[in-house]
Amino acid sequence: MNKKKILIVDDEPNIVMSLEYTFKKNDFEVFIARDGGEAIEILKSQIPDVVLLDIMMPNVDGYQTLKYIRSNVDTKDIKVVFLTAKNKTSDIQKGVSMGVDKYLTKPFSIKKIMAEINELIAQK
């Protein structure tokens, strides 16, 4: 069976390190991007099962990245999870209206994230 692939897009090194460690430990192939621009470059050559995406990042933010993913024929069906500190109802509604599959807020539980990601992959 092929390894599940996840792209983690976040500009906070501590968050990236803990997520990367957890997903690798759970037999995922992990790709890392520090902003949306890096994520888009990775997506030109890799199609992950899930993109775990922060919203507030320098250069290209999560909203712009999600817009790219949903508008590109090769990436439009990738499951996308926002993982963000933006926790207002209006933020969540914006993410959902743009086509995000799950909206999780920081601070977060690694166990909850693993459960949500595995549930999304099982739906594929």
Side-chain angles (χ1 to χ4, degrees):
M1 187 175 138
N2 291 343
K3 272 190 172 185
K4 297 166 284 196
K5 295 180 181 181
I6 188 163
L7 170 57
I8 300 169
V9 190
D10 200 308
D11 60 329
E12 295 179 43
N14 291 341
I15 288 176
V16 170
M17 280 180 6
S18 69
L19 290 169
E20 180 182 22
Y21 172 79
T22 301
F23 283 107
K24 282 186 174 176
K25 197 173 79 178
N26 285 276
D27 211 31
F28 277 76
E29 186 175 348
V30 179
F31 302 92
I32 305 289
R34 282 156 191 76
D35 67 32
E38 283 185 23
I40 289 167
E41 284 307 307
I42 290 169
L43 289 168
K44 289 176 181 175
S45 64
Q46 294 292 332
I47 301 296
D49 297 290
V50 178
V51 175
L52 191 55
L53 182 60
D54 189 15
I55 293 175
M56 297 180 291
M57 296 178 291
N59 307 316
V60 180
D61 70 17
Y63 293 128
Q64 293 167 295
T65 308
L66 178 62
K67 196 172 181 178
Y68 168 85
I69 291 169
R70 291 296 179 239
S71 66
N72 184 301
V73 69
D74 294 325
T75 59
K76 66 180 176 56
D77 296 325
I78 294 173
K79 300 290 186 186
V80 179
V81 177
F82 271 153
L83 179 61
T84 179
K86 293 176 77 71
N87 59 4
K88 292 188 194 139
T89 304
S90 59
D91 297 323
I92 296 168
Q93 287 171 336
K94 180 176 180 178
V96 170
S97 72
M98 290 180 70
V100 76
D101 295 287
K102 295 259 183 194
Y103 196 108
L104 305 175
T105 55
K106 297 174 183 175
F108 58 86
S109 144
I110 289 278
K111 270 187 173 168
K112 179 170 173 44
I113 288 178
M114 281 305 306
E116 296 282 0
I117 299 291
N118 283 321
E119 181 184 311
L120 271 180
I121 291 174
Q123 294 171 4
K124 282 188 84 176

